[in-house]
Amino acid sequence: MTRQPISLKPHTPRIFSGVQPTGNLHLGNYLGAIKRFAELQTSHECIYCVVDMHAITQGHDPLELRRATHEVTAAYIAAGVDVKKHIVFNQSQVSGHAELAWIFNCVARMGWANRMTQFKEKAGKDRENASVGLFAYPMLMAADILLYRATAVPVGEDQKQHLELTRDIAQKFNFDFAERIKALGLNSGDYFPLTEPLIAGPAPRVMSLRDGTKKMSKSDASDYSRINLTDDADAIAQKVRKAKTDPEPLPSEAEGLKGRPEAENLVTLFAALSGREAASILTEFGGGQFSTFKQALVDLAVASLAPIGDEMRRLVADPAMIDAVLFDGADRARAIAEPVMREVREIMGFVQR
Ligand code: AQP
């Protein structure tokens, strides 16, 4: 049987990104990732995944996983992602993710994976008891991205190290199998692209409302540490009012925020939600009481998030519609992934029909 060589064209600009369905979607997930998903869809071909296989690395409740998968999908749509033009699906429906992850487990080195700070943070002191899946998480993430040969990935700053590992894996794969890639008439030496991290926007790292040195996180025990996308106006108001600050009034210039992580975080949130520069916000609120600034932040956060929360609630009330989006997205994702997997199997020397 003659095989068609894949295109020798440069890689098509393609975005891939994902969010774990692990509950409590928050303002950090929105500003660092989901909001940007919608912005990038006018200039790129986009694939947005609900990474449910990542969500089982630390134990999970199956019914909650389903609910959260619907909720993340609803968040994508509510933020403005066009599911007809772009692809939205859940990872476990496309088996190429797991298959390519295994190959990458064999490409990546233990030393590389051992350096991942997220594993260290999540495994904590009880490393021996962490799942092998949690350790292998970055290789699955590399597979998520490279299965579609994505050229760029919009993420929050916390994912920077994993993206560097993705580039290392792509580079090693391209190098280790360069002869074979060439012999098969596939791209010469750059079968997988070196994916660019898109860590940009006004809030690539939103911090906890209770501790300005920790990132806002889904798994923080305190619900007061984060603003959830589904929080109502009262909850948002309470959380912002209780947000930790220091005794000083806000400075009049950005320089004055140095060493004041909580104040800096609130100003960053204001800037990201309003589209204004920190300098102009401090000109308006500098020297005044935190309470005045916080009330303005409440009004802004409620005005920005209430329509998204309302739309998410409306969408999750129709699970059949959400499933239809995910099924259709998975079909289209598979159509891109399967030819790539066929070539990868060929590169690896696996026998296939
Ligand atoms: N605080 C944050 N600021 C900016 N971006 C953030 N992201 C997460 N937290 C912040 C970005 O959101 C996207 C989806 O994240 P995820 O759910 O896949 O993974 P995560 O980093 O584990 O999310 P959490 O909320 O931080 O969960 P836990 O509590 O499990 O650690 C990613 O692009 C991420 O960068």
Side-chain angles (χ1 to χ4, degrees), residues 24 208 210 214 217-226:
N24 300 326
S208 157
R210 306 302 297 159
K214 275 173 43 186
S217 166
K218 294 189 198 115
S219 56
D220 195 311
S222 168
D223 200 46
Y224 278 91
S225 68
R226 63 182 160 261

Side-chain angles (χ1 to χ4, degrees), residues 20 26 28-29 122 156 158-159 204 206 215-219:
Q20 296 185 72
H26 53 71
N29 299 132
K122 292 202 170 183
D158 58 317
Q159 293 299 326
V206 174
K215 77 163 186 150
M216 187 176 283
S217 166
K218 294 189 198 115
S219 56

